[in-house]
Amino acid sequence: MTDYEPGQRVRHPQRPEWGLGQVQSVTGTRVTVNFENAGKVLINAALVTLDIVDA
């Protein structure tokens, strides 16, 4: 279970070059994020805590 929801804006703390991302889907601990500079990336939320960006 994660605290991420589709539509949220996030950043990857270890990959700032990926830019701002938008959560596309959440399945268990798997979060698909579409990043500005990296495209769609599947994140394991059990290993990485994404930074939520307030709108």
Side-chain angles (χ1 to χ4, degrees):
M1 181 88 182
T2 67
D3 294 329
Y4 305 111
E5 297 179 7
Q8 278 183 316
R9 301 282 183 186
V10 296
R11 291 190 185 276
H12 191 298
Q14 287 87 38
R15 299 285 187 261
E17 68 274 13
W18 287 1
L20 188 62
Q22 184 177 37
V23 175
Q24 302 296 299
S25 65
V26 180
T27 306
T29 59
R30 295 167 35 149
V31 182
T32 302
V33 181
N34 189 14
F35 287 98
E36 292 175 314
N37 302 320
K40 283 192 179 178
V41 179
L42 181 61
I43 303 291
N44 182 344
L47 302 177
V48 175
T49 300
L50 296 169
D51 296 328
I52 297 173
V53 177
D54 293 324

